[in-house]
Amino acid sequence: MRKILIITLLTTCFACNTKEESVVNYAIITGKVTNAQGKINIYSPDGVISKLVVLAEDGSFTDTLKTGLNTYSLFDGNRPVTSLYVKPGSTLNLSYDGKTGKVVLTGSASKENSYIRERKRKKFIDDATGWYELDETEFNVKNKAYKTARLAFLESHKELPEDFIALEKKDITYGYLSSLHSYETVHALKTKNKDFKVSDGFLDELKDFDHNDPNAYSYSWAYRYVVKDRIKNQVKDMVATDSINQYIAYLKIASAVESETIKNDLLFQYAYKRIGYTNDIDTFYKVFKENSTDVANNELIADKYDKLTKLSKGRPSPKFHDYENHAGGTMSLDDLKEKYVYIDVWATWCGPCKKEIPFLKEVEKKYHGKNIAFVSLSIDKEKDHEKWRNMVTEKELGGIQLFADKDWESQFVKDYEIQGIPRFILIDPSGNIVDFKAPRPSSPELIDLFNELNI
């Protein structure tokens, strides 16, 4: 599945304004890129936000990064290049050669970045595989040894600033605690013992876990993992006891978080990923808007809300034009007017998409000759064009098999706010939307919908 949910921002900095940030809440990043293998992007830790680095003719660039989340990743196309650590008021200069992979970082945050690069390459203990399959005692030995080794490594770097050392110590502690937190679930999965429970006292060290530490949240993925997992468990409890919609439950629980920084980030991430899945988009947006205090984030979600409301039932469907037809020639959505159109957006690399194929074949067979066209729209990349053509032939895929013009960047895909596949869309004979997230072929609800429409 594609790394979903990427925003390309046209502004010069990431959106993360909060009351808990300093007045100077950005860092300056400059540098030069040579022999790039693809587009240079900087991703936020969760992968939700992506920033395209605009290069001058000689490969140089100057930009700013907001520091609400202060660790990022630089990519050359699909290739990870380096992590980036920034803090308010810091400067970072990056030199990168895409041919050799060499990275040089200088500037006021260079010591921290060099340390992080070195840490990521280091093996802290031997035999680090299979931790979660061990019994509690052996697991604890491994977990504590890893924590001790990381602390020793940090202690050996006397040149690091005190504020960064404090962040690293928190990350080490929260990494240790997050391993304790996840042990029961992962051990049960790894050992295929679904009834496994940790012993009394195993999680005692988590009792004093501070769930409202914005500095730790901004820096430590381990800390964010525990905070988000706690929210997820609270959502389950609220859904079970209050019979509330899970999407609204998440927003309500996240809104109760004390830290403004953490609350705003939780709300933003969830809203950006989930607003297109809820069946009550108006209530969802209302709850988000009432509780999020981040102006820039609110603008992004408002834009998403506006786009999604344009996809409501009865609105004119976005269109595609002159997509390659596997059977020959090209096809546009307008060519299918006067029929219902059931569109399957898929790709050859998508496992869940391929699982739907047998069900789709059965539905096509059942409705053959009816007033409905079945369109399978591949968003494979151009390099996989032949793979698509071969799979359609070898698997004897039915219906109308089309190949999108720009994979995920196709305007039709963007207009429908498609961030994950498979995705199914139903359009009526007048070209209006019936359901922009129609039931899958494997769901009995699809036939119920077709019967309701007298197809």
Side-chain angles (χ1 to χ4, degrees):
M1 185 71 69
R2 180 202 188 214
K3 179 185 281 188
I4 62 176
L5 310 171
I6 292 179
I7 314 167
T8 301
L9 300 183
L10 299 179
T11 57
T12 59
C13 50
F14 282 127
C16 212
N17 296 325
T18 69
K19 295 178 181 178
E20 294 172 67
E21 288 181 322
S22 306
V23 175
V24 178
N25 58 359
Y26 61 88
I28 298 173
I29 178 169
T30 62
K32 188 171 184 177
V33 174
T34 55
N35 302 311
Q37 304 299 301
K39 292 181 178 179
I40 304 298
N41 281 279
I42 298 176
Y43 293 94
S44 59
D46 47 43
V48 172
I49 296 176
S50 165
K51 184 175 189 179
L52 177 66
V53 178
V54 180
L55 305 177
E57 288 187 11
D58 64 351
S60 62
F61 68 91
T62 299
D63 219 325
T64 57
L65 291 178
K66 284 278 186 167
T67 51
L69 291 175
N70 51 22
T71 53
Y72 298 95
S73 297
L74 185 95
F75 274 70
D76 179 0
N78 293 322
R79 181 169 69 171
V81 175
T82 186
S83 58
L84 297 172
Y85 167 78
V86 293
K87 59 184 179 181
S90 65
T91 60
L92 188 63
N93 183 269
L94 172 118
S95 172
Y96 165 64
D97 185 338
K99 192 172 184 178
T100 64
K102 183 179 180 181
V103 174
V104 178
L105 295 169
T106 57
S108 63
S110 60
K111 291 179 180 179
E112 297 95 314
N113 279 279
S114 295
Y115 166 85
I116 291 173
R117 284 172 58 80
E118 185 180 351
R119 166 166 59 76
K120 288 190 172 183
R121 292 193 295 263
K122 186 172 178 59
K123 184 178 181 181
F124 286 100
I125 61 173
D126 294 328
D127 190 23
T129 60
W131 280 28
Y132 290 93
E133 296 174 25
L134 301 173
D135 63 31
E136 287 184 9
T137 301
E138 293 174 316
F139 173 81
N140 275 327
V141 169
K142 290 276 190 183
N143 199 21
K144 288 176 180 177
Y146 185 82
K147 177 183 177 182
T148 299
R150 274 200 62 183
L151 284 169
F153 179 72
L154 177 61
E155 179 64 25
S156 69
H157 287 73
K158 306 291 186 184
E159 77 283 1
L160 294 171
E162 290 184 7
D163 60 341
F164 180 77
I165 290 175
L167 285 177
E168 266 293 289
K169 285 183 177 179
K170 284 187 176 184
D171 184 53
I172 293 168
T173 297
Y174 289 128
Y176 168 77
L177 293 175
S178 71
S179 294
L180 289 179
H181 176 79
S182 60
Y183 175 73
E184 181 177 277
T185 301
V186 180
H187 182 80
L189 181 65
K190 293 283 188 180
T191 60
K192 298 181 180 179
N193 178 8
K194 63 180 181 180
D195 298 320
F196 174 77
K197 299 294 179 184
V198 295
S199 62
D200 292 342
F202 182 81
L203 299 175
D204 281 354
E205 291 178 89
L206 282 157
K207 287 181 178 179
D208 297 325
F209 190 96
D210 180 5
H211 290 84
N212 285 284
D213 185 340
N215 290 327
Y217 186 89
S218 296
Y219 182 74
S220 172
W221 71 266
Y223 180 85
R224 290 192 294 273
Y225 163 73
V226 177
V227 168
K228 291 178 181 180
D229 199 59
R230 180 189 185 217
I231 298 286
K232 184 173 66 176
N233 291 332
Q234 289 177 319
V235 169
K236 289 180 182 177
D237 292 340
M238 180 179 279
V239 169
T241 58
D242 299 346
S243 299
I244 189 174
N245 177 283
Q246 63 173 327
Y247 300 109
I248 305 303
Y250 188 99
L251 294 180
K252 287 182 176 294
I253 291 172
S255 297
V257 172
E258 294 177 18
S259 164
E260 200 82 353
T261 296
I262 298 175
K263 179 195 75 172
N264 281 330
D265 189 68
L266 289 170
L267 289 172
F268 171 68
Q269 285 194 44
Y270 193 76
Y272 198 84
K273 293 175 182 177
R274 299 298 179 186
I275 191 171
Y277 291 88
T278 177
N279 291 322
D280 188 355
I281 189 173
D282 292 325
T283 300
F284 185 100
Y285 180 63
K286 181 175 181 291
V287 175
F288 169 84
K289 190 176 179 180
E290 288 174 347
N291 291 284
S292 174
T293 59
D294 187 301
V295 175
N297 284 355
N298 292 352
E299 289 176 355
L300 289 170
I301 300 304
D303 179 64
K304 225 175 149 51
Y305 171 75
D306 290 342
K307 289 179 179 177
L308 288 168
T309 54
K310 292 177 182 177
L311 298 175
S312 58
K313 184 176 181 179
R315 298 292 294 269
S317 171
K319 298 179 180 181
F320 58 79
H321 303 278
D322 298 325
Y323 281 0
E324 178 186 347
N325 190 335
H326 189 275
T330 62
M331 178 167 283
S332 301
L333 184 59
D334 283 345
D335 296 332
L336 299 169
K337 274 194 172 180
E338 300 184 3
K339 283 187 175 184
Y340 283 95
V341 183
Y342 183 66
I343 301 175
D344 168 17
V345 184
W346 75 295
T348 59
W349 47 262
C350 171
C353 300
K354 289 185 279 191
K355 285 183 179 179
E356 292 294 326
I357 289 175
F359 298 101
L360 181 57
K361 284 185 174 182
E362 286 298 317
V363 174
E364 289 173 349
K365 182 178 179 181
K366 181 180 177 69
Y367 285 86
H368 181 73
K370 303 285 187 179
N371 190 37
I372 184 169
F374 293 91
V375 176
S376 292
L377 178 60
S378 167
I379 57 171
D380 279 290
K381 292 187 179 297
E382 185 60 37
K383 67 181 180 63
D384 294 321
H385 179 265
E386 284 307 306
K387 183 179 178 182
W388 165 73
R389 291 200 64 86
N390 293 336
M391 181 177 289
V392 171
T393 301
E394 292 168 5
K395 299 290 185 181
E396 297 180 340
L397 303 187
I400 300 168
Q401 298 289 331
L402 304 181
F403 195 83
D405 57 348
K406 297 177 183 176
D407 54 84
W408 288 96
E409 297 303 314
S410 298
Q411 193 60 48
F412 183 78
V413 173
K414 289 182 176 180
D415 288 342
Y416 262 106
E417 288 288 310
I418 297 174
Q419 299 164 336
I421 53 175
R423 174 70 170 275
F424 298 90
I425 301 164
L426 183 61
I427 301 168
D428 72 16
S430 298
N432 297 322
I433 298 169
V434 175
D435 194 339
F436 78 101
K437 45 177 183 171
R440 297 185 177 194
S442 58
S443 171
E445 294 178 5
L446 180 63
I447 301 302
D448 291 341
L449 177 58
F450 285 177
N451 289 340
E452 181 184 325
L453 297 169
N454 294 316
I455 296 177

